[in-house]
Amino acid sequence: VSNGVSVNSNARLAVRRTAPALARRLCCRAHPLALCAARLPPPPQFRAKPLLTARVAAISPAATPLALSPPKPLRLLGRALWLGLVLLPPLALLAISLLVPSRWRIYLTEAFEASLLAALERGGACTIKLGQWASTRPDVLPLSLCVRLGSLHDGVPPHALSHTRRAISDAFGARAAQLEWVSERPVGSGCIAQVHEARAADGSKLAVKVLHPGVAATVAADLWLLGAAARLVEKCVPSGRWLSLPDAADEFGAFMRRQLDMTVEAENLRRFRANFAADGNAGGVRFPRPLLEEGLVSGGVLVESYEDGVPIGKLLREGGEAAAARNAKLARVGLRAFLAMLLRHNFVHADL
């Protein structure tokens, strides 16, 4: 009745009686109605809406995705061949593991997970981001695979210090003198950027986030290939139209392009700080302060205040009564912060 059409009681009774049998018949792919549904495109109102749409809106409702230069044909061809070579070993191991007896499968599974992790790391920003998403879905994927892929959140191979220094100098010019010292080794490295500890001229502790070299061109090529693959699948597999894969690829592309602009992240941090300051910091929740007033924010480099902390995953692995009491307190703080973002601010952090 979602379209406003009323249904009388006799019709509802008939539907209740015939629905189970109809469902059983439709489950058979050979049924004419099932074949018809597989061939016909879905009506616009029934096309699947990508879940990423709401997630992107929650991250930055007003942010405009960064415009990327269209990739050149030769670069696309080289990128496609590279991704194929990188992903071939884990795909081959997966195929073999499905064919061997179950008693040998455990050894191939471990090899497959290690090979997949290495392939995603070598694949670049988009494959790493997909691996990060996969690591948060133990309800869909094996727990061992999710744990292994969890290292992609902050264990991506870093770029050279020389690139970090060059990016800071190119982005800020004379203002870069406000950074008295930058650590040689990064604090963490993700799929898009890495973070270095730094010290300002006044002695305050800072964090410098710098995009990886060439990440924009790589993401542009990967997004084009992903969109082309989604359109090809939808064209070759008629029933796939109900999944709206091209729309999902477009939403993923918009999400990735926003992450390539550090000014968007700086604006998000400023808004989070303002929201929680109005709430009295919601039980001690703090966000880094982007150095917007000091002119130390650009599209490729973000300088912010440094917040010391411990990954919550490490705390959750600790045992004992004291750890349990502490974790319960952290859970209450996290729940209050999440509800404040959801119900009062209408602006939710992406990592939640």
Side-chain angles (χ1 to χ4, degrees):
V1 198
S2 59
N3 58 0
V5 179
S6 61
V7 181
N8 59 40
S9 58
N10 292 332
R12 287 197 298 269
L13 181 61
V15 168
R16 283 199 298 268
R17 288 176 175 173
T18 60
L22 180 62
R24 285 194 298 270
R25 295 182 68 188
L26 286 177
C27 287
C28 176
R29 293 182 59 87
H31 191 276
L33 289 180
L35 295 176
C36 181
R39 292 191 178 98
L40 293 177
Q45 63 268 31
F46 286 106
R47 288 178 67 87
K49 185 177 181 180
L51 296 178
L52 194 58
T53 304
R55 183 179 174 89
V56 170
I59 298 169
S60 183
T64 301
L66 182 69
L68 298 177
S69 301
K72 298 180 179 179
L74 287 179
R75 182 179 181 85
L76 282 175
L77 178 60
R79 184 65 183 163
L81 292 174
W82 167 252
L83 289 176
L85 290 174
V86 165
L87 296 174
L88 182 60
L91 292 178
L93 286 171
L94 178 61
I96 295 173
S97 67
L98 296 177
L99 299 175
V100 301
S102 57
R103 63 178 180 273
W104 300 104
R105 196 167 296 167
I106 183 173
Y107 303 105
L108 287 174
T109 299
E110 294 178 357
F112 161 73
E113 293 176 355
S115 178
L116 179 62
L117 175 62
L120 294 178
E121 287 180 344
R122 298 177 67 188
C126 289
T127 57
I128 292 173
K129 181 60 68 176
L130 292 174
Q132 291 175 351
W133 170 83
S135 70
T136 65
R137 298 305 305 269
D139 57 324
V140 178
L141 300 173
L143 180 60
S144 60
L145 179 60
C146 294
V147 172
R148 190 179 289 269
L149 295 181
S151 63
L152 293 173
H153 288 280
D154 56 5
V156 178
H159 61 248
L161 177 63
S162 59
H163 172 76
T164 294
R165 290 175 173 169
R166 184 169 58 253
I168 293 173
S169 177
D170 293 344
F172 304 135
R175 297 190 303 276
Q178 300 180 56
L179 301 175
E180 190 175 72
W181 171 81
V182 176
S183 64
E184 294 186 4
R185 299 187 62 180
V187 177
S189 179
C191 64
I192 298 292
Q194 68 186 38
V195 179
H196 291 261
E197 182 183 344
R199 186 172 58 248
D202 60 2
S204 59
K205 202 173 180 182
L206 301 174
V208 181
K209 189 171 185 178
V210 182
L211 291 181
H212 291 308
V215 66
T218 301
V219 167
D222 289 353
L223 293 180
W224 193 95
L225 292 172
L226 182 63
R231 290 188 293 271
L232 180 63
V233 170
E234 187 175 67
K235 183 177 181 179
C236 297
V237 184
S239 59
R241 301 175 190 175
W242 294 82
L243 299 177
S244 189
L245 293 179
D247 291 342
D250 291 342
E251 292 297 337
F252 178 72
F255 176 73
M256 291 296 294
R257 292 195 297 273
R258 284 185 178 92
Q259 292 204 340
L260 291 171
D261 189 354
M262 294 290 102
T263 61
V264 172
E265 182 169 344
E267 176 58 26
N268 290 344
L269 288 173
R270 183 204 61 76
R271 184 169 175 180
F272 279 125
R273 286 174 58 85
N275 289 343
F276 278 82
D279 289 343
N281 288 330
V285 176
R286 296 200 308 267
F287 290 86
R289 181 182 76 87
L291 273 62
L292 290 164
E293 295 79 6
E294 292 84 350
L296 294 179
V297 174
S298 72
V301 183
L302 167 63
V303 182
E304 59 190 23
S305 61
Y306 192 98
E307 299 291 342
D308 287 299
V310 179
I312 194 168
K314 181 178 180 180
L315 298 177
L316 294 177
R317 287 192 294 268
E318 297 179 1
E321 294 182 2
R326 179 203 58 207
N327 292 344
K329 182 178 179 181
L330 287 174
R332 287 192 294 270
V333 172
L335 179 60
R336 284 197 297 268
F338 174 72
L339 292 178
M341 286 187 276
L342 182 66
L343 302 177
R344 286 203 297 267
H345 307 157
N346 194 27
F347 194 69
V348 180
H349 197 285
D351 289 340
L352 298 179

